[in-house]
CSV table of all heavy atoms in Angstrom, one decimal:
chain,number,residue,atom,x,y,z
A,47,THR,N,18.2,-4.6,10.7
A,47,THR,CA,19.1,-5.5,9.9
A,47,THR,C,19.5,-6.8,10.6
A,47,THR,O,19.8,-7.8,10.0
A,47,THR,CB,20.4,-4.8,9.4
A,47,THR,OG1,21.1,-4.3,10.5
A,47,THR,CG2,20.0,-3.5,8.5
A,48,GLY,N,19.7,-6.7,11.9
A,48,GLY,CA,20.3,-7.9,12.6
A,48,GLY,C,19.6,-9.2,12.4
A,48,GLY,O,20.2,-10.2,12.3
A,49,ALA,N,18.2,-9.1,12.5
A,49,ALA,CA,17.4,-10.4,12.7
A,49,ALA,C,17.6,-11.2,11.3
A,49,ALA,O,17.4,-12.4,11.4
A,49,ALA,CB,16.0,-10.2,13.0
A,50,LEU,N,17.7,-10.6,10.3
A,50,LEU,CA,17.7,-11.3,9.0
A,50,LEU,C,19.1,-11.8,8.7
A,50,LEU,O,19.2,-12.7,7.8
A,50,LEU,CB,17.2,-10.4,7.8
A,50,LEU,CG,15.7,-10.5,7.7
A,50,LEU,CD1,15.3,-9.6,6.4
A,50,LEU,CD2,15.2,-11.9,7.4
A,51,ALA,N,20.2,-11.2,9.1
A,51,ALA,CA,21.5,-11.5,8.7
A,51,ALA,C,21.9,-13.0,8.7
A,51,ALA,O,22.4,-13.6,7.8
A,51,ALA,CB,22.6,-10.7,9.5
A,52,PRO,N,21.6,-13.8,9.8
A,52,PRO,CA,21.9,-15.2,9.9
A,52,PRO,C,21.2,-16.0,8.8
A,52,PRO,O,21.7,-17.0,8.4
A,52,PRO,CB,21.5,-15.6,11.3
A,52,PRO,CG,21.4,-14.3,12.0
A,52,PRO,CD,21.0,-13.3,11.1
A,53,ALA,N,20.0,-15.6,8.4
A,53,ALA,CA,19.2,-16.4,7.5
A,53,ALA,C,19.5,-16.1,6.0
A,53,ALA,O,19.0,-16.7,5.1
A,53,ALA,CB,17.7,-16.2,7.7
A,54,THR,N,20.3,-15.0,5.8
A,54,THR,CA,20.7,-14.7,4.5
A,54,THR,C,21.8,-15.4,3.8
A,54,THR,O,22.9,-15.6,4.5
A,54,THR,CB,21.0,-13.1,4.4
A,54,THR,OG1,20.0,-12.4,5.1
A,54,THR,CG2,21.2,-12.7,3.0
A,55,THR,N,21.6,-16.0,2.6
A,55,THR,CA,22.7,-16.8,2.0
A,55,THR,C,23.9,-15.8,1.8
A,55,THR,O,23.8,-14.6,1.6
A,55,THR,CB,22.2,-17.4,0.7
A,55,THR,OG1,21.9,-16.3,-0.2
A,55,THR,CG2,21.0,-18.2,1.0
A,56,ALA,N,25.0,-16.5,1.6
A,56,ALA,CA,26.3,-15.7,1.3
A,56,ALA,C,26.2,-14.9,0.1
A,56,ALA,O,26.5,-13.8,-0.1
A,56,ALA,CB,27.4,-16.6,1.1
A,57,SER,N,25.5,-15.5,-1.0
A,57,SER,CA,25.4,-14.7,-2.3
A,57,SER,C,24.3,-13.6,-2.1
A,57,SER,O,24.4,-12.6,-2.8
A,57,SER,CB,24.9,-15.7,-3.4
A,57,SER,OG,23.6,-16.2,-3.1
A,58,ALA,N,23.4,-13.7,-1.2
A,58,ALA,CA,22.4,-12.6,-1.0
A,58,ALA,C,22.9,-11.6,-0.1
A,58,ALA,O,22.3,-10.5,-0.1
A,58,ALA,CB,21.1,-13.3,-0.5
A,59,ALA,N,23.9,-11.9,0.7
A,59,ALA,CA,24.3,-10.9,1.7
A,59,ALA,C,25.0,-9.6,1.1
A,59,ALA,O,24.8,-8.6,1.7
A,59,ALA,CB,25.3,-11.5,2.7
A,60,ALA,N,25.6,-9.7,0.0
A,60,ALA,CA,26.4,-8.6,-0.5
A,60,ALA,C,25.4,-7.8,-1.4
A,60,ALA,O,25.7,-7.5,-2.6
A,60,ALA,CB,27.6,-9.0,-1.3
A,61,VAL,N,24.2,-7.3,-0.9
A,61,VAL,CA,23.3,-6.5,-1.7
A,61,VAL,C,23.0,-5.2,-1.1
A,61,VAL,O,22.1,-4.5,-1.5
A,61,VAL,CB,22.0,-7.3,-1.7
A,61,VAL,CG1,22.2,-8.7,-2.4
A,61,VAL,CG2,21.3,-7.4,-0.3
A,62,THR,N,23.8,-4.7,-0.1
A,62,THR,CA,23.4,-3.6,0.7
A,62,THR,C,23.6,-2.3,-0.1
A,62,THR,O,23.1,-1.3,0.3
A,62,THR,CB,24.1,-3.6,2.0
A,62,THR,OG1,25.5,-3.5,1.8
A,62,THR,CG2,23.8,-4.8,2.8
A,63,SER,N,24.4,-2.2,-1.1
A,63,SER,CA,24.7,-1.1,-1.9
A,63,SER,C,25.3,-1.4,-3.1
A,63,SER,O,25.7,-2.5,-3.4
A,63,SER,CB,25.8,-0.2,-1.1
A,63,SER,OG,27.0,-0.8,-1.2
A,64,PRO,N,25.2,-0.5,-4.2
A,64,PRO,CA,25.7,-0.8,-5.5
A,64,PRO,C,27.1,-1.2,-5.5
A,64,PRO,O,27.5,-2.1,-6.2
A,64,PRO,CB,25.5,0.5,-6.3
A,64,PRO,CG,24.4,1.2,-5.5
A,64,PRO,CD,24.6,0.8,-4.1
A,65,SER,N,27.9,-0.6,-4.7
A,65,SER,CA,29.4,-1.0,-4.5
A,65,SER,C,29.6,-2.4,-4.0
A,65,SER,O,30.6,-2.9,-4.2
A,65,SER,CB,30.2,0.0,-3.7
A,65,SER,OG,29.7,0.0,-2.4
A,66,ALA,N,28.6,-3.0,-3.2
A,66,ALA,CA,28.7,-4.2,-2.7
A,66,ALA,C,28.5,-5.3,-3.8
A,66,ALA,O,28.9,-6.5,-3.6
A,66,ALA,CB,27.7,-4.5,-1.6
A,67,ASP,N,28.0,-5.0,-5.0
A,67,ASP,CA,27.8,-6.0,-6.0
A,67,ASP,C,29.0,-5.8,-7.0
A,67,ASP,O,29.1,-4.8,-7.7
A,67,ASP,CB,26.5,-5.5,-6.7
A,67,ASP,CG,26.2,-6.6,-7.9
A,67,ASP,OD1,27.1,-7.3,-8.2
A,67,ASP,OD2,25.0,-6.5,-8.4
A,68,PRO,N,29.8,-6.8,-7.0
A,68,PRO,CA,31.0,-6.7,-7.8
A,68,PRO,C,30.8,-6.5,-9.3
A,68,PRO,O,31.5,-5.9,-10.1
A,68,PRO,CB,31.8,-8.0,-7.5
A,68,PRO,CG,30.8,-8.9,-7.1
A,68,PRO,CD,29.8,-8.1,-6.2
A,69,THR,N,29.7,-7.0,-9.8
A,69,THR,CA,29.3,-6.8,-11.2
A,69,THR,C,29.1,-5.4,-11.5
A,69,THR,O,29.3,-4.9,-12.7
A,69,THR,CB,28.0,-7.6,-11.6
A,69,THR,OG1,27.0,-7.1,-10.8
A,69,THR,CG2,28.2,-9.0,-11.2
A,70,ALA,N,28.7,-4.5,-10.5
A,70,ALA,CA,28.5,-3.1,-10.8
A,70,ALA,C,29.7,-2.3,-11.0
A,70,ALA,O,29.8,-1.3,-11.6
A,70,ALA,CB,27.7,-2.4,-9.7
A,71,ILE,N,30.9,-3.0,-10.6
A,71,ILE,CA,32.1,-2.3,-10.7
A,71,ILE,C,32.8,-2.8,-12.0
A,71,ILE,O,33.4,-2.0,-12.8
A,71,ILE,CB,33.0,-2.6,-9.5
A,71,ILE,CG1,32.4,-2.1,-8.3
A,71,ILE,CG2,34.5,-2.1,-9.6
A,71,ILE,CD1,33.1,-2.5,-7.0
A,72,ARG,N,32.8,-4.2,-12.2
A,72,ARG,CA,33.6,-4.7,-13.3
A,72,ARG,C,33.0,-4.6,-14.6
A,72,ARG,O,33.7,-4.7,-15.7
A,72,ARG,CB,33.8,-6.2,-13.0
A,72,ARG,CG,34.6,-6.6,-11.8
A,72,ARG,CD,35.1,-8.0,-11.7
A,72,ARG,NE,34.0,-9.0,-11.9
A,72,ARG,CZ,33.5,-9.5,-10.8
A,72,ARG,NH1,33.9,-9.3,-9.6
A,72,ARG,NH2,32.5,-10.5,-11.2
A,73,THR,N,31.7,-4.5,-14.8
A,73,THR,CA,31.1,-4.6,-16.1
A,73,THR,C,30.4,-3.2,-16.4
A,73,THR,O,30.1,-2.4,-15.6
A,73,THR,CB,29.9,-5.6,-16.1
A,73,THR,OG1,28.9,-5.2,-15.1
A,73,THR,CG2,30.5,-7.0,-15.7
A,74,ARG,N,30.4,-2.9,-17.7
A,74,ARG,CA,29.8,-1.7,-18.3
A,74,ARG,C,28.3,-2.0,-18.4
A,74,ARG,O,27.9,-3.1,-18.8
A,74,ARG,CB,30.4,-1.4,-19.6
A,74,ARG,CG,29.8,-0.1,-20.3
A,74,ARG,CD,30.6,0.1,-21.5
A,74,ARG,NE,32.0,0.4,-21.3
A,74,ARG,CZ,32.9,0.8,-22.2
A,74,ARG,NH1,32.5,0.7,-23.5
A,74,ARG,NH2,34.1,1.0,-21.9
A,75,THR,N,27.5,-1.1,-18.2
A,75,THR,CA,26.0,-1.2,-18.3
A,75,THR,C,25.7,-1.5,-19.7
A,75,THR,O,26.0,-0.8,-20.6
A,75,THR,CB,25.3,0.1,-17.9
A,75,THR,OG1,25.6,0.3,-16.5
A,75,THR,CG2,23.9,-0.1,-18.0
A,76,PRO,N,25.0,-2.7,-20.0
A,76,PRO,CA,24.7,-3.0,-21.3
A,76,PRO,C,23.5,-2.2,-21.8
A,76,PRO,O,22.7,-1.8,-21.1
A,76,PRO,CB,24.3,-4.5,-21.2
A,76,PRO,CG,23.8,-4.7,-19.8
A,76,PRO,CD,24.6,-3.7,-18.9
A,77,ALA,N,23.5,-2.0,-23.1
A,77,ALA,CA,22.3,-1.3,-23.7
A,77,ALA,C,21.2,-2.2,-23.7
A,77,ALA,O,21.3,-3.4,-23.9
A,77,ALA,CB,22.7,-0.9,-25.1
Side-chain angles (χ1 to χ4, degrees):
T47 60
L50 270 183
T54 306
T55 64
S57 65
V61 303
T62 58
S63 70
S65 61
D67 185 349
T69 62
I71 300 171
R72 294 198 305 263
T73 63
R74 180 175 298 176
T75 299

